[in-house]
Amino acid sequence: GEDVKLDIPELTDEVAMSLGQPGQFTSVADLKTKLREHFEIEKKREVEAKHRANLTDIIISGTTMELPAVLVESELNQMFAQMSEDLERANLKMDDYLAHIKKTKEDLKTEWTPAAEKRAKLQLVLNEIAKKENITPDKDQLKSQVDQLAAQYKDADPHRIAVYVASIMQNEAVMKHLEAA
């Protein structure tokens, strides 16, 4: 067969500078470094996510507890909220989507319940650890996050935002604490 030569523009500093956002890459070397950093961060994230998944499984499997139904409900609601946000971003309506996958909200609830229970358990365990270890979110960080979200979601209840952000930040802190242990 013929040798087909692809006409790839040579990666010069000019080409590198034209990629990404204006001023993001100053040269070929800079582009390569940043890409490498990006991949390393992604890899680390994957490893961290895996590590966390293992940690959470260990935490949960060693935990026998009565799960308050309201907690599971709240996790399910969060999962539905997340889903409708994702759908909205894709300009889809929840009902259309459900019709499309031929499922009802109840079907999804049933399917998601084990995951919701797992999340609720984890939440309880993380709360316990946070209490024992006196782990609290950084107040300034918390405030700035809450302000940011409140500005983003004008009609959301600031108190609920604060509770939500605090729980996420506290979980982060607890996970870091466990990973360090």
Side-chain angles (χ1 to χ4, degrees), residues 11-73:
L11 188 55
T12 58
D13 289 350
E14 285 74 46
V15 174
M17 286 161 95
S18 71
L19 301 169
Q21 275 106 39
Q24 193 176 1
F25 308 116
T26 50
S27 64
V28 173
D30 184 45
L31 171 75
K32 287 184 176 157
T33 312
K34 285 186 176 153
L35 281 177
R36 201 168 45 242
E37 278 168 11
H38 175 73
F39 289 131
E40 272 162 15
I41 289 170
E42 284 300 311
K43 256 216 317 265
K44 225 177 87 183
R45 266 208 202 113
E46 266 174 40
V47 172
E48 247 175 36
K50 257 217 190 82
H51 181 60
R52 285 199 172 180
N54 292 343
L55 253 179
T56 53
D57 283 345
I58 292 165
I59 293 171
I60 293 169
S61 64
T63 312
T64 45
M65 53 168 89
E66 278 304 301
L67 265 187
V70 53
L71 252 185
V72 180
E73 268 304 298

Coordinates of all heavy atoms in Angstrom, one line a residue, residues 11-73:
L11 N 4.3 20.9 15.6 CA 3.9 21.5 16.9 C 5.0 22.5 17.3 O 6.1 22.2 17.8 CB 3.8 20.4 18.0 CG 3.3 21.0 19.3 CD1 1.9 21.7 19.2 CD2 3.1 19.8 20.3
T12 N 4.7 23.7 16.9 CA 5.7 24.8 17.2 C 5.1 25.6 18.4 O 4.0 25.4 18.8 CB 5.8 25.8 16.0 OG1 4.4 26.3 15.8 CG2 6.3 25.1 14.8
D13 N 5.9 26.5 18.9 CA 5.5 27.3 20.0 C 4.2 28.1 19.6 O 3.3 28.2 20.4 CB 6.6 28.3 20.5 CG 7.7 27.5 21.2 OD1 7.5 26.3 21.5 OD2 8.7 28.1 21.5
E14 N 4.2 28.5 18.4 CA 3.0 29.3 17.9 C 1.7 28.4 18.0 O 0.7 28.9 18.4 CB 3.2 29.8 16.4 CG 4.1 31.0 16.3 CD 5.6 30.5 16.5 OE1 6.0 29.5 15.9 OE2 6.3 31.3 17.2
V15 N 1.9 27.2 17.5 CA 0.7 26.3 17.5 C 0.3 26.0 18.9 O -0.9 26.1 19.3 CB 1.1 25.0 16.8 CG1 -0.1 24.0 16.9 CG2 1.4 25.2 15.3
A16 N 1.3 25.8 19.8 CA 1.0 25.5 21.2 C 0.2 26.7 21.8 O -0.7 26.5 22.5 CB 2.3 25.3 22.0
M17 N 0.7 27.9 21.4 CA 0.0 29.1 22.0 C -1.4 29.3 21.5 O -2.2 29.9 22.2 CB 0.8 30.4 21.7 CG 2.1 30.5 22.5 SD 3.3 31.6 21.8 CE 2.9 33.1 22.6
S18 N -1.7 28.7 20.4 CA -3.1 28.8 19.8 C -4.0 27.8 20.4 O -5.2 27.8 20.2 CB -3.0 28.6 18.3 OG -2.8 27.3 18.0
L19 N -3.5 26.8 21.2 CA -4.3 25.8 21.8 C -4.9 26.3 23.1 O -4.3 27.1 23.8 CB -3.6 24.5 22.0 CG -3.0 23.9 20.7 CD1 -2.0 22.8 21.0 CD2 -4.1 23.4 19.8
G20 N -5.9 25.6 23.6 CA -6.4 25.9 24.9 C -6.9 27.4 25.0 O -7.2 28.0 24.0
Q21 N -7.0 27.8 26.2 CA -7.5 29.2 26.4 C -6.3 30.2 26.1 O -5.2 29.8 26.2 CB -7.9 29.4 27.9 CG -9.3 29.0 28.2 CD -9.4 27.8 28.9 OE1 -8.6 27.5 29.8 NE2 -10.4 26.9 28.6
P22 N -6.7 31.4 25.7 CA -5.6 32.4 25.4 C -4.6 32.4 26.6 O -5.0 32.6 27.8 CB -6.3 33.7 25.3 CG -7.8 33.3 24.9 CD -8.0 32.0 25.6
G23 N -3.4 32.3 26.3 CA -2.3 32.4 27.3 C -2.2 31.2 28.2 O -1.4 31.2 29.1
Q24 N -2.9 30.1 27.9 CA -2.8 29.0 28.7 C -1.4 28.3 28.5 O -0.8 27.8 29.5 CB -3.9 28.0 28.4 CG -4.0 26.9 29.4 CD -5.2 26.0 29.2 OE1 -6.0 26.2 28.3 NE2 -5.4 25.1 30.1
F25 N -1.0 28.2 27.3 CA 0.3 27.5 27.0 C 1.2 28.5 26.3 O 0.8 29.2 25.4 CB 0.1 26.3 26.0 CG -1.0 25.4 26.5 CD1 -2.1 25.2 25.8 CD2 -0.8 24.7 27.7 CE1 -3.1 24.3 26.2 CE2 -1.8 23.8 28.2 CZ -2.9 23.6 27.4
T26 N 2.4 28.7 26.8 CA 3.3 29.7 26.3 C 4.3 29.1 25.3 O 4.9 29.8 24.5 CB 4.2 30.3 27.4 OG1 4.7 29.2 28.2 CG2 3.3 31.2 28.3
S27 N 4.5 27.7 25.3 CA 5.4 27.1 24.4 C 5.1 25.6 24.3 O 4.2 25.1 25.1 CB 6.8 27.3 24.9 OG 7.0 26.6 26.1
V28 N 5.8 24.9 23.5 CA 5.6 23.4 23.3 C 5.9 22.8 24.6 O 5.2 21.9 25.2 CB 6.4 22.9 22.2 CG1 6.3 21.4 22.2 CG2 6.0 23.4 20.8
A29 N 7.0 23.2 25.2 CA 7.5 22.5 26.5 C 6.4 22.7 27.6 O 6.1 21.8 28.3 CB 8.8 23.1 26.9
D30 N 5.9 24.0 27.6 CA 4.9 24.3 28.6 C 3.6 23.5 28.4 O 3.1 22.9 29.3 CB 4.5 25.8 28.4 CG 3.6 26.3 29.5 OD1 3.7 25.9 30.7 OD2 2.6 27.0 29.1
L31 N 3.2 23.3 27.1 CA 2.1 22.5 26.8 C 2.3 21.1 27.3 O 1.4 20.5 27.9 CB 1.9 22.5 25.3 CG 0.8 21.5 24.7 CD1 -0.6 22.0 25.0 CD2 1.0 21.4 23.2
K32 N 3.4 20.5 27.0 CA 3.7 19.1 27.4 C 3.7 19.0 28.9 O 3.1 18.0 29.4 CB 5.1 18.7 26.8 CG 5.0 18.4 25.3 CD 6.3 17.9 24.8 CE 6.2 17.5 23.3 NZ 7.5 17.5 22.6
T33 N 4.3 19.9 29.6 CA 4.4 19.8 31.1 C 2.9 19.9 31.6 O 2.6 19.1 32.5 CB 5.1 21.1 31.6 OG1 6.3 21.2 30.9 CG2 5.4 20.9 33.1
K34 N 2.1 20.8 31.1 CA 0.8 20.9 31.6 C -0.1 19.7 31.3 O -0.9 19.3 32.2 CB 0.2 22.2 31.1 CG 0.7 23.4 31.8 CD 0.1 24.7 31.4 CE 0.7 25.9 32.3 NZ 0.6 27.2 31.6
L35 N 0.1 19.2 30.1 CA -0.6 18.0 29.8 C -0.2 16.8 30.8 O -1.1 16.1 31.3 CB -0.4 17.5 28.4 CG -1.2 18.3 27.3 CD1 -0.8 17.8 25.9 CD2 -2.7 18.1 27.5
R36 N 1.1 16.7 31.0 CA 1.6 15.6 31.9 C 1.0 15.8 33.3 O 0.5 14.9 33.9 CB 3.1 15.6 31.9 CG 3.6 14.3 32.4 CD 5.1 14.1 32.2 NE 5.9 15.3 32.6 CZ 6.6 16.0 31.8 NH1 6.7 15.7 30.5 NH2 7.3 17.0 32.2
E37 N 1.0 17.1 33.8 CA 0.4 17.4 35.1 C -1.0 17.0 35.1 O -1.5 16.4 36.0 CB 0.5 18.8 35.4 CG 1.9 19.2 35.9 CD 2.1 20.7 36.0 OE1 1.1 21.5 35.8 OE2 3.2 21.2 36.2
H38 N -1.7 17.3 34.0 CA -3.2 17.1 33.9 C -3.4 15.6 34.0 O -4.3 15.1 34.8 CB -3.7 17.6 32.6 CG -5.2 17.3 32.4 ND1 -6.2 17.8 33.1 CD2 -5.7 16.4 31.6 CE1 -7.3 17.3 32.8 NE2 -7.1 16.4 31.8
F39 N -2.6 14.8 33.3 CA -2.8 13.3 33.3 C -2.5 12.8 34.7 O -3.1 11.8 35.2 CB -2.0 12.6 32.2 CG -2.5 12.9 30.8 CD1 -1.7 13.3 29.8 CD2 -3.8 12.7 30.6 CE1 -2.1 13.5 28.6 CE2 -4.3 13.0 29.3 CZ -3.5 13.4 28.3
E40 N -1.4 13.3 35.3 CA -1.1 12.8 36.6 C -2.2 13.1 37.6 O -2.5 12.3 38.5 CB 0.3 13.4 37.1 CG 1.4 12.6 36.6 CD 2.8 13.3 36.6 OE1 2.9 14.4 37.2 OE2 3.7 12.8 35.9
I41 N -2.7 14.3 37.5 CA -3.8 14.6 38.4 C -5.0 13.7 38.2 O -5.6 13.2 39.2 CB -4.3 16.1 38.2 CG1 -3.2 17.1 38.7 CG2 -5.6 16.4 39.0 CD1 -3.4 18.5 38.4
E42 N -5.3 13.4 36.9 CA -6.4 12.5 36.6 C -6.1 11.1 37.2 O -7.0 10.5 37.8 CB -6.6 12.4 35.1 CG -7.3 13.6 34.5 CD -8.7 13.8 35.0 OE1 -9.5 12.9 35.1 OE2 -9.0 15.0 35.4
K43 N -4.9 10.7 37.0 CA -4.5 9.3 37.5 C -4.7 9.3 39.0 O -5.2 8.3 39.5 CB -3.1 9.0 37.1 CG -3.0 8.1 35.9 CD -1.8 7.1 35.9 CE -0.5 7.6 36.4 NZ 0.4 8.0 35.2
K44 N -4.2 10.3 39.6 CA -4.2 10.4 41.1 C -5.7 10.4 41.5 O -6.0 9.7 42.5 CB -3.5 11.6 41.6 CG -2.6 11.4 42.8 CD -1.9 12.6 43.2 CE -2.7 13.3 44.2 NZ -2.1 14.6 44.7
R45 N -6.5 11.1 40.8 CA -7.9 11.2 41.1 C -8.5 9.8 41.1 O -9.3 9.4 41.9 CB -8.7 12.1 40.2 CG -8.8 13.5 40.7 CD -10.0 14.1 40.2 NE -9.8 15.6 40.3 CZ -9.6 16.4 39.3 NH1 -9.8 15.9 38.1 NH2 -9.4 17.7 39.5
E46 N -8.2 9.1 40.0 CA -8.7 7.7 39.8 C -8.3 6.8 41.0 O -9.1 6.1 41.6 CB -8.2 7.1 38.5 CG -9.1 7.3 37.4 CD -8.5 6.8 36.1 OE1 -7.9 5.8 36.1 OE2 -8.7 7.5 35.0
V47 N -7.0 6.9 41.3 CA -6.5 6.1 42.4 C -7.2 6.5 43.7 O -7.6 5.7 44.5 CB -4.9 6.3 42.5 CG1 -4.4 5.6 43.8 CG2 -4.2 5.7 41.3
E48 N -7.3 7.8 43.9 CA -7.9 8.3 45.1 C -9.4 7.8 45.2 O -9.8 7.4 46.2 CB -7.9 9.8 45.1 CG -7.0 10.4 46.2 CD -6.9 11.9 46.2 OE1 -7.9 12.6 45.8 OE2 -5.9 12.4 46.5
A49 N -10.1 7.9 44.1 CA -11.5 7.5 44.0 C -11.6 6.0 44.3 O -12.4 5.6 45.1 CB -12.1 7.8 42.7
K50 N -10.6 5.2 43.7 CA -10.6 3.8 44.0 C -10.3 3.5 45.5 O -11.0 2.7 46.1 CB -9.5 3.1 43.2 CG -10.0 2.4 42.0 CD -9.1 1.2 41.8 CE -9.4 0.5 40.4 NZ -8.7 1.2 39.3
H51 N -9.3 4.2 46.0 CA -8.9 4.1 47.4 C -10.1 4.4 48.3 O -10.4 3.7 49.2 CB -7.7 5.0 47.6 CG -7.2 4.9 49.0 ND1 -6.7 3.7 49.5 CD2 -7.1 5.8 50.0 CE1 -6.3 4.0 50.8 NE2 -6.5 5.2 51.1
R52 N -10.8 5.5 47.9 CA -11.9 5.9 48.7 C -13.0 4.9 48.7 O -13.7 4.6 49.7 CB -12.4 7.2 48.2 CG -11.5 8.3 48.6 CD -12.2 9.7 48.6 NE -11.2 10.6 49.2 CZ -11.4 11.9 49.3 NH1 -12.6 12.4 48.9 NH2 -10.6 12.6 49.9
A53 N -13.3 4.4 47.5 CA -14.3 3.4 47.3 C -14.0 2.2 48.2 O -14.9 1.6 48.9 CB -14.5 3.0 45.9
N54 N -12.7 1.8 48.2 CA -12.3 0.6 49.1 C -12.5 1.0 50.5 O -13.1 0.2 51.3 CB -10.9 0.3 48.9 CG -10.6 -0.3 47.5 OD1 -11.6 -0.7 46.8 ND2 -9.4 -0.3 47.1
L55 N -12.1 2.2 50.9 CA -12.2 2.7 52.3 C -13.7 2.6 52.7 O -14.0 2.1 53.8 CB -11.7 4.1 52.4 CG -10.4 4.3 53.1 CD1 -10.1 5.8 53.1 CD2 -10.4 3.9 54.5
T56 N -14.5 3.2 51.8 CA -15.9 3.3 52.2 C -16.5 1.9 52.3 O -17.3 1.7 53.2 CB -16.7 4.2 51.2 OG1 -16.5 3.6 49.9 CG2 -16.3 5.6 51.2
D57 N -16.1 1.0 51.4 CA -16.6 -0.4 51.5 C -16.2 -1.0 52.9 O -17.0 -1.7 53.5 CB -16.2 -1.2 50.4 CG -16.9 -1.0 49.1 OD1 -18.0 -0.3 49.2 OD2 -16.5 -1.3 48.0
I58 N -15.0 -0.8 53.2 CA -14.5 -1.3 54.5 C -15.3 -0.8 55.7 O -15.7 -1.4 56.6 CB -13.0 -1.0 54.7 CG1 -12.2 -1.9 53.6 CG2 -12.5 -1.4 56.1 CD1 -10.7 -1.4 53.5
I59 N -15.4 0.6 55.6 CA -16.1 1.3 56.7 C -17.6 0.7 56.8 O -18.0 0.3 57.9 CB -16.2 2.8 56.4 CG1 -14.9 3.4 56.5 CG2 -17.2 3.4 57.4 CD1 -14.8 4.8 56.0
I60 N -18.2 0.6 55.6 CA -19.6 0.2 55.7 C -19.8 -1.2 56.0 O -20.7 -1.6 56.8 CB -20.3 0.5 54.3 CG1 -20.3 2.0 54.0 CG2 -21.7 -0.1 54.3 CD1 -20.7 2.4 52.6
S61 N -18.9 -2.1 55.5 CA -19.1 -3.5 55.8 C -18.9 -3.9 57.2 O -19.5 -4.8 57.8 CB -18.2 -4.4 54.9 OG -16.8 -4.1 55.3
G62 N -18.1 -3.1 57.9 CA -17.9 -3.3 59.3 C -18.9 -2.6 60.2 O -18.8 -2.6 61.4
T63 N -19.9 -2.1 59.6 CA -20.9 -1.3 60.4 C -22.3 -2.0 60.3 O -22.8 -2.1 59.2 CB -21.0 0.1 59.7 OG1 -19.7 0.6 59.5 CG2 -21.8 1.0 60.7
T64 N -22.8 -2.3 61.5 CA -24.1 -2.8 61.5 C -24.9 -1.7 62.2 O -24.6 -1.3 63.3 CB -24.3 -4.1 62.3 OG1 -23.5 -3.9 63.5 CG2 -23.8 -5.3 61.6
M65 N -25.9 -1.2 61.5 CA -26.6 -0.1 62.1 C -28.0 0.0 61.6 O -28.3 -0.5 60.5 CB -25.9 1.2 61.9 CG -25.7 1.5 60.4 SD -25.2 3.2 60.2 CE -23.4 3.1 60.4
E66 N -28.9 0.5 62.4 CA -30.2 0.8 62.0 C -30.2 2.0 61.2 O -29.8 3.1 61.6 CB -31.1 1.0 63.2 CG -31.6 -0.3 63.9 CD -32.3 -1.2 62.9 OE1 -33.3 -0.8 62.3 OE2 -31.8 -2.3 62.7
L67 N -30.7 1.9 59.9 CA -30.7 3.1 59.1 C -32.0 3.7 59.2 O -33.1 3.2 58.9 CB -30.5 2.7 57.6 CG -29.0 2.7 57.1 CD1 -29.1 2.4 55.6 CD2 -28.4 4.0 57.4
P68 N -32.0 5.0 59.7 CA -33.3 5.7 59.7 C -33.8 5.9 58.2 O -33.1 6.3 57.4 CB -33.0 7.1 60.3 CG -31.6 6.9 60.9 CD -30.9 5.8 60.2
A69 N -35.1 5.5 58.0 CA -35.6 5.6 56.7 C -35.5 7.0 56.1 O -35.3 7.2 54.9 CB -37.1 5.2 56.7
V70 N -35.6 8.0 57.0 CA -35.5 9.4 56.5 C -34.2 9.7 55.9 O -34.1 10.4 54.9 CB -35.9 10.4 57.6 CG1 -35.0 10.1 58.9 CG2 -35.7 11.8 57.2
L71 N -33.1 9.0 56.4 CA -31.8 9.2 55.8 C -31.7 8.6 54.4 O -31.1 9.3 53.5 CB -30.8 8.5 56.7 CG -29.9 9.4 57.5 CD1 -28.8 8.6 58.2 CD2 -29.2 10.5 56.7
V72 N -32.3 7.4 54.3 CA -32.2 6.8 52.9 C -33.1 7.6 52.0 O -32.6 7.9 50.8 CB -32.8 5.4 53.0 CG1 -32.8 4.7 51.7 CG2 -32.0 4.6 54.0
E73 N -34.2 8.1 52.4 CA -35.0 9.0 51.6 C -34.2 10.2 51.2 O -34.3 10.6 50.0 CB -36.2 9.6 52.5 CG -37.5 8.7 52.4 CD -38.0 8.5 51.0 OE1 -38.4 9.5 50.3 OE2 -38.1 7.4 50.6

